[in-house]
Amino acid sequence: MVRVLVPSGALGLGYDTEALDRAIAAGPDLIAIDGGSTDSGPSYLGRGVSKYARESTKAEWRGLIEARAKAGCPLVIGTAGTSGTDSTVDWLYDITVEILSELGQSARVARLYSEQNPDAVAKAALTPLSGAPQVTPEDIAGCTHVVALAGAEQINAALETGADIVIAGRTTDTAIIAALPIARGCDAGAAWHGAKIGECGALCATNPQSGVILVDFDEAGFTITPMAEGANATPHTVSAHMLYENSDPFILYEPGGHLDVNEAHYTALDTRRVRVEGSVWVPSETYIVKLEGARIAGYQTLVMAILRDPRYLANLDDWCADILEKHRAKVDERMTLDPGAWHAELRVIGQDSNLGALENRRADPVELGVMAILTGPDQATANTLGKLMNPYLLHHPLTREEEQPTFAFPFSPAEIDRGAAYEFVLHHVMALSDPMEAFRLEVDNV
Amino acid sequence: MSELGQIVQKVRSKNAGPFWLTIDIFCGSSEAFEQVSKGVSTDRVAALFRADPAVVKRFDIAALNVVKFSLPRPTIQGARDDRDMHGAGWAALVAELDIN
């Protein structure tokens, strides 16, 4: 039997410290936590930075390093620092060294690097997944960061170094949990299924915010036990987690194969614990890993105005269309910009700014916000585009005859430079002849 | 005639990676599940997103009283024309469907 402790869905989300203490007392073989995902958008991968504050990361990571020492088992984090680039692995490594020094502890720390050279990936044979964008080798080579998603094999390679702490770059959410049970001979279907159920911590139970759960794996299945007071796993909460952020709730693709849970059965052992058996792992003929990449799509400046005049609110679409036309003419007249090199958009907040053209309702608002989004090839150009937009948002009249209106600007200066805007480029897989071919390990005694 | 959101427990939409959107309708009872499963066609859901019905995956899961739809994201997450980084807002379109 292999017992994996999952403290929460991600480092930075917090966990119930009393539940963590109880889980440590239960003697886990491994503590595994996820450090990121693409869910916050392309900027974190594009810049190679963490979404969470260093302060939050350090506070929570310190608690897990202390828990690891008490439990006497390895601690693994996957997709360190939100994006799992080399820079975020090293960022968390620096925090780890700082914490170990403050605690007066020593530990063997392995770093698993997942980052790829964009030029090399651009030349590699890639297979697009369903829904992938059209990309050219130049698009891929233009990525600021490309990562490959590691699976169980790479995590096990890191654990086999004898590491107390593994800081992994991009991995699948499940690999950090599934790896050790697979290495110790537990059923592979159970390992991947239990890992998928456990990857978000107590999200598969009642009291989902409490975080801490134990997943026990063996040769026939797995058992989920939430550790917080009042948190219960039921066959419903556990099986429903297969729906979560998953386009197919029965099939899950991982490096080296796929998980099929069509025949899985979920049994309540008591009011708190659920047993699952019958999940099947189907190995693939070739070992493939998924790639993620992001590149700079342009630089942006925002300008915002709030309108409260009922006559303007009733005619806002016309007002916006007129402004975009006049702004375009002014840009053409005063800037030497290729028409394809810049973009201006007005989003009406309070009307359809969430759903855009798919919005099918409209209500009478008290006020509306107009957010101008200017995109250019560099920040200075985007800011100039914003400065040319500014007078229109402040004063543009509906008709020539009326007295010049003035609308509410919440800020001075009105132009807000947003920096680089990134976009995801890759939704592709790459075949490897050896699982470690695209990954690197570094081990230090700290 | 009522709105789907009024007869079910919850409608949730989430990213399934940057390129796919998944919508889970938690019906809450077998009666509501029957009503949603029979009363909401894949074509109607596809039309809400101006998507080709052929690319919409549908799962009617009686054991969970859940009807799930997955489709290519209407905008790629984080692209210049994307308006909702986590894709949570699209659930409203499904929750507001009329149902008999």
Side-chain angles (χ1 to χ4, degrees), chain A residues 39 130 243 246-247 357 361, chain B residues 3 15 20 50 68 70 77:
Chain A
D39 211 36
S130 173
L243 301 165
N246 206 0
S247 63
R361 294 201 167 181
Chain B
E3 275 186 12
N15 298 331
W20 277 76
R50 300 182 189 175
K68 181 181 182 78
S70 298
Q77 185 198 8

Side-chain angles (χ1 to χ4, degrees), chain A residues 38-39 41 130 133 236 239 243-247 343 345 347 352-354 357-358 361 422 424 427, chain B residues 3 12 14-15 18-20 22 48 50 57 59 64 68 70 77-78 80 82-84 86 90 93 96:
Chain A
T38 55
D39 211 36
S130 173
H236 186 273
S239 57
L243 301 165
Y244 194 71
E245 295 180 348
N246 206 0
S247 63
H343 186 263
E345 182 187 352
R347 257 179 224 183
D352 57 3
S353 63
N354 189 171
L358 299 181
R361 294 201 167 181
Y422 290 82
F424 285 117
H427 188 50
Chain B
E3 275 186 12
R12 173 178 78 186
K14 302 275 294 179
N15 298 331
F19 301 92
W20 277 76
T22 192
L48 287 175
R50 300 182 189 175
K57 295 191 210 173
F59 304 92
L64 291 173
K68 181 181 182 78
S70 298
Q77 185 198 8
R80 196 182 65 201
D82 187 31
R83 294 158 174 260
D84 186 348
H86 299 84
W90 280 304
L93 289 174
E96 289 166 6

Side-chain angles (χ1 to χ4, degrees), chain A residues 7-37:
Chain A
S8 81
L11 190 71
L13 288 179
Y15 47 79
D16 181 327
T17 53
E18 284 177 21
L20 182 64
D21 287 343
R22 273 197 295 280
I24 294 301
D29 297 297
L30 182 84
I31 303 172
I33 189 159
D34 187 22
S37 83

Side-chain angles (χ1 to χ4, degrees), chain B residues 18-76:
Chain B
F19 301 92
W20 277 76
L21 176 71
T22 192
I23 302 150
D24 299 322
I25 307 172
F26 295 92
C27 299
S29 69
S30 52
E31 294 75 28
F33 172 77
E34 284 300 313
Q35 209 175 339
V36 173
S37 188
K38 293 204 176 88
V40 179
S41 68
T42 306
D43 284 6
R44 281 180 75 199
V45 172
L48 287 175
F49 298 96
R50 300 182 189 175
D52 174 1
V55 303
V56 177
K57 295 191 210 173
R58 174 185 184 131
F59 304 92
D60 293 78
I61 311 168
L64 291 173
N65 291 324
V66 165
V67 180
K68 181 181 182 78
F69 295 94
S70 298
L71 65 154
R73 222 173 174 281
T75 49
I76 293 172

Side-chain angles (χ1 to χ4, degrees), chain A residues 51-191:
Chain A
K51 144 186 181 179
Y52 293 110
R54 192 181 197 278
E55 287 74 5
S56 295
T57 300
K58 187 175 175 186
E60 292 184 25
W61 191 231
R62 175 199 292 270
L64 297 184
I65 287 177
E66 288 176 311
R68 185 216 75 74
K70 274 187 228 157
C73 72
L75 165 66
V76 179
I77 183 163
T79 315
T82 306
S83 50
T85 55
D86 290 1
S87 53
T88 53
V89 168
D90 290 339
W91 176 77
L92 190 62
Y93 177 77
D94 288 344
I95 294 172
T96 306
V97 171
E98 210 171 281
I99 293 169
L100 288 169
S101 157
E102 286 167 12
L103 294 174
Q105 284 185 13
S106 56
R108 192 165 164 79
V109 183
R111 280 176 277 178
L112 173 70
Y113 291 108
S114 305
E115 190 148 350
Q116 310 298 310
N117 179 336
D119 291 325
V121 173
K123 292 184 192 118
L126 306 181
T127 308
L129 295 170
S130 173
Q134 292 284 337
V135 290
T136 63
E138 291 72 36
D139 294 334
I140 300 169
C143 285
T144 50
H145 292 280
V146 174
V147 291
L149 279 74
E153 291 77 7
Q154 297 83 2
I155 295 295
N156 279 328
L159 287 170
E160 280 159 18
T161 65
D164 301 306
I165 299 172
V166 174
I167 302 172
R170 190 68 172 119
T171 63
T172 68
D173 295 346
T174 39
I176 51 168
I177 303 172
L180 188 67
I182 290 171
R184 298 231 178 127
C186 298
D187 178 69

